[in-house]
Amino acid sequence: MKIVLAYSGGLDTTCIIPYLKEKYDAEVIAFCALLGVSEDEDVLKGRARKAGASGFYFLDLRQEFVKNFCFPALRTGAVYENGYLLATALARPLIAREMIRIASETGADAISHGCTGKGNDQVRFELAAASLMPSLKVIAPVREWDLNSREKEIDYLKEKGLTIEDKGAGKYSIDRNLWGISVECGELEDPWREPPLDSYITVSPPEKTPFEPEEVTIGFTSGDPVSVNGSKMEEVELVEELNSLGSLHGVGRIDMVENRVVGIKSREVYESPGATILFRALRVIETLVLERDLLKEKVKLSGEYARAVYDGKWFSPLRESIQSFADATRDRLSGEVRLKLHNSSVRVTGCRSDFSMYSEKLATYTEADEFSHEAAEGFIKLWGLPLRVWKEKEGK
Ligand code: ARG
């Protein structure tokens, strides 16, 4: 048997290598995806080999991730349960797709991941596999073994004659990519407890942000951000730039209790400085250029889209259809938004677009006004007609 494993280099997935070899009599191919910051490729490769992997893949997926997963979600406006910009949820289908590609290329029979049975990530990996290659087997060792502590895992590796340098359990469980950082566990498990300072990963705590605000102008073309302060930037560079600007000013951190797919509520802290700035800016372009009924439907559908992504249904007809709906009018979403970052907040200070439906001649309260005031009278008569009739029938 041959198995492709999503390998992070951490203790769990390192244990999975000898486990799969032994239990499934398998050859293991370790696959690492670069989606933001990562350990050095050679270090990861060395560790995977030492643990017994017979193949190793390291792919820089940053551009693909931002361009074809994060920006499409941005264009729909998807936010899960009023706060989460879905950084982790967006990465999983891409990792799964690449694993499946490697599995087909190498003739593997199964893929494997290190997710627990309580989380969302197992659902995302496995639903992606169900959509893309239903015949592929998925193995989730953490759901089946009894290595339920770091000590047991370290002992298990020792038994196999492996000593792997252990950086120790972090205080939190952290998943990090270019779109955002998800922080959970440890002291955060008590929702009454204020997140400790050491749970701030890149975003400055409010108390430590600069005294002076900083202005930033984002340019959009067809719904995608293309420039910062007038300089054109590639996707990855642009997000990195906004991540560092936002982090400095304390922008994009959110602390929430959310509903997981498996039914439990969990307390999560997210840092998405760049994505937060981009979401705010694109929403402003939308209000300027989109016709009102369209905008209303778009906002409604964005909630469904967010749920689909969160629930592991990236590769689904629903997610793809809502994407098509949002993208049908994306060519209008071009323009610029100016914002001020200050003290953990983002404030919009200006916007413009060639497609703007805002008309000063119609909106003004000065003599230049061209709005038809006479027409308003008849309009209101008919607009309120059902309400008059309703009132007439009261008490009958
Ligand atoms: N609750 C978030 C989500 O479902 C974050 C999960 C973080 N994953 C992790 N391995 N720490 O997307």
Side-chain angles (χ1 to χ4, degrees):
M1 189 169 187
K2 199 188 266 182
I3 304 171
V4 179
L5 166 68
Y7 184 63
S8 71
L11 189 56
D12 290 337
T13 51
T14 300
C15 284
I16 290 178
I17 298 175
Y19 176 86
L20 291 175
K21 287 180 70 177
E22 195 173 79
K23 166 138 189 222
Y24 294 91
D25 191 21
E27 201 184 303
V28 179
I29 297 173
F31 162 57
C32 297
L34 174 60
L35 295 162
V37 285
S38 137
E39 273 188 278
D40 181 68
E41 180 177 346
D42 291 330
V43 173
L44 288 166
K45 185 174 180 172
R47 198 176 303 144
R49 289 265 187 220
K50 196 169 161 197
S54 51
F56 179 81
Y57 284 76
F58 182 93
L59 296 181
D60 181 352
L61 299 175
R62 288 175 300 173
Q63 154 124 17
E64 172 68 4
F65 177 53
V66 174
K67 194 171 169 185
N68 294 325
F69 289 78
C70 304
F71 284 3
L74 169 67
R75 294 198 298 270
T76 68
V79 180
Y80 183 70
E81 293 187 344
N82 285 322
Y84 176 33
L85 299 184
L86 299 162
T88 298
L90 288 165
R92 299 305 182 236
L94 171 58
I95 297 170
R97 191 190 74 191
E98 292 304 301
M99 283 169 84
I100 292 162
R101 194 175 55 73
I102 294 168
S104 343
E105 274 172 27
T106 57
D109 315 277
I111 57 172
S112 178
H113 59 72
C115 309
T116 73
K118 270 172 100 160
N120 297 318
D121 291 332
Q122 52 170 352
V123 180
R124 295 168 183 150
F125 280 127
E126 294 180 37
L127 290 201
S131 301
L132 298 177
M133 201 174 173
S135 61
L136 198 65
K137 192 173 156 60
V138 185
I139 302 171
V142 178
R143 288 200 303 245
E144 51 185 59
W145 70 24
D146 51 10
L147 301 178
N148 52 7
S149 70
R150 291 187 81 79
E151 294 66 40
K152 282 191 193 161
E153 291 184 328
I154 290 165
D155 286 346
Y156 173 78
L157 288 175
K158 266 197 203 128
E159 245 172 63
K160 306 281 164 240
L162 297 166
T163 38
I164 297 239
E165 84 280 17
D166 180 29
K167 288 180 265 117
K171 279 186 70 186
Y172 307 102
S173 164
I174 296 174
D175 179 65
R176 178 171 183 172
N177 63 46
L178 274 170
W179 206 234
I181 305 175
S182 306
V183 191
E184 50 187 25
C185 303
E187 289 171 58
L188 298 174
E189 283 179 358
D190 174 2
W192 175 247
R193 188 161 189 157
E194 182 178 355
L197 274 185
D198 64 7
S199 71
Y200 286 78
I201 313 299
T202 68
V203 171
S204 313
E207 295 80 2
K208 294 193 178 155
T209 55
F211 187 70
E212 293 294 333
E214 183 161 353
E215 202 166 70
V216 58
T217 301
I218 320 257
F220 288 89
T221 301
S222 297
D224 284 340
V226 293
S227 67
V228 175
N229 295 328
S231 348
K232 289 251 170 271
M233 286 184 191
E234 293 291 317
E235 297 85 358
V236 171
E237 185 195 4
L238 184 141
V239 172
E240 279 173 343
E241 170 72 13
L242 294 178
N243 275 343
S244 58
L245 267 178
S247 289
L248 175 68
H249 291 278
V251 164
R253 200 172 137 106
I254 176 150
D255 174 8
M256 62 191 277
V257 172
E258 78 190 23
N259 291 292
R260 284 200 190 163
V261 182
V262 295
I264 54 181
K265 290 189 187 287
S266 74
R267 204 269 189 99
E268 307 274 335
V269 168
Y270 296 112
E271 292 187 359
S272 282
T276 298
I277 297 169
L278 290 172
F279 266 77
R280 181 66 66 80
L282 187 57
R283 291 301 74 85
V284 173
I285 300 271
E286 283 178 340
T287 56
L288 207 57
V289 312
L290 292 185
E291 184 277 327
R292 68 175 169 189
D293 294 339
L294 172 66
L295 182 56
K296 194 176 78 191
E297 288 311 309
K298 192 173 175 184
V299 169
K300 270 200 247 166
L301 287 170
S302 73
E304 292 304 316
Y305 183 102
R307 172 163 300 279
V309 172
Y310 186 88
D311 288 352
K313 297 179 182 173
W314 175 267
F315 299 109
S316 70
L318 176 66
R319 203 282 305 168
E320 284 161 12
S321 299
I322 301 175
Q323 191 76 61
S324 304
F325 176 85
D327 287 349
T329 46
R330 64 180 286 194
D331 54 345
R332 301 267 184 139
L333 298 175
S334 300
E336 281 185 304
V337 180
R338 195 180 55 235
L339 316 104
K340 255 183 192 163
L341 313 180
H342 189 216
N343 211 248
S344 308
S345 76
V346 186
R347 187 154 42 93
V348 175
T349 61
C351 55
R352 61 182 176 196
S353 166
D354 289 343
F355 299 100
S356 174
M357 289 178 74
Y358 177 86
S359 159
E360 207 160 337
K361 287 188 299 227
L362 293 176
T364 187
Y365 281 91
T366 66
E367 281 174 4
D369 187 9
E370 289 181 12
F371 183 82
S372 167
H373 289 254
E374 319 80 65
E377 195 181 327
F379 165 73
I380 292 166
K381 226 174 221 157
L382 298 186
W383 187 241
L385 187 58
L387 299 177
R388 287 174 200 283
V389 177
W390 177 261
K391 184 69 183 170
E392 273 168 25
K393 300 294 172 188
E394 196 172 76
K396 290 237 156 110

